Amino acid sequence: MTQKPIISNRIPERMLSQDPFSQWLGIEIIEVEKGRCKVGMTVRKEMLNSMSKAHGGISYSLADTAFGFSANTHGKYAVSIETSINHIEALEEGDYITAEAVTDIVKTRVGFNIVEVKRGEDIVALFKGVVYRTSKDWEE
């Protein structure tokens, strides 16, 4: 029996349900549409570095999750091939941050994404990612 393709805006839910690290971070999906995803989380004490600021990997991980979820909404398994982040502001315990994959440029099997990480309305980091879309479909 042939599997049905999964609806694109349900793919991030499926991905999160199979991602213990993002679950540990406390990431929640806020908005999803094809080619765009917004996620959020709260910085906890165990996420701080020796200077009592959020470890840089925290905003990176949130952005990477938004990036991955967004890239996969096109219905094909998409894997990261390059990422980078610019940290603009330090984050504190208790800060609620969001990451939104705001741009998705698709060129053949390669996708380019920009992710804005924000605390409220303030951008605290900018993330860039490149994915390769495989031929494997997301299925129910």
Side-chain angles (χ1 to χ4, degrees):
M1 182 171 160
T2 320
Q3 294 280 340
K4 308 185 338 186
I6 191 169
I7 299 167
S8 65
N9 64 350
R10 292 190 46 218
I11 292 169
E13 293 170 17
R14 165 84 67 81
M15 293 175 75
L16 183 59
S17 75
Q18 299 171 353
D19 183 345
F21 181 69
S22 292
Q23 291 173 27
W24 175 83
L25 287 170
I27 292 175
E28 59 184 352
I29 298 167
I30 299 168
E31 297 173 17
V32 179
E33 60 186 61
K34 189 173 185 177
R36 188 177 79 76
C37 186
K38 183 176 183 179
V39 296
M41 62 170 280
T42 300
V43 177
R44 302 188 312 266
K45 183 175 182 160
E46 64 266 32
M47 299 173 176
L48 304 181
N49 63 22
S50 60
M51 294 175 268
S52 297
K53 304 295 181 191
H55 188 284
I58 298 303
S59 55
Y60 178 91
S61 294
L62 182 66
D64 190 51
T65 297
F67 161 58
F69 287 0
S70 173
N72 277 274
T73 61
H74 292 279
K76 300 285 185 188
Y77 277 68
V79 294
S80 170
I81 56 176
E82 181 182 9
T83 62
S84 64
I85 193 166
N86 297 102
H87 298 283
I88 300 166
E89 302 253 347
L91 298 170
E92 310 278 340
E93 180 181 354
D95 283 350
Y96 184 80
I97 55 176
T98 61
E100 183 174 4
V102 294
T103 306
D104 189 346
I105 302 165
V106 181
K107 299 289 184 190
T108 59
R109 290 186 177 256
V110 179
F112 300 87
N113 289 256
I114 303 295
V115 181
E116 293 181 346
V117 180
K118 293 182 174 182
R119 176 181 48 215
E121 293 301 311
D122 297 328
I123 295 175
V124 295
L126 287 171
F127 175 103
K128 178 189 78 165
V130 182
V131 296
Y132 175 77
R133 288 190 178 85
T134 70
S135 57
K136 184 176 179 179
D137 292 321
W138 279 95
E139 298 175 332
E140 291 285 350

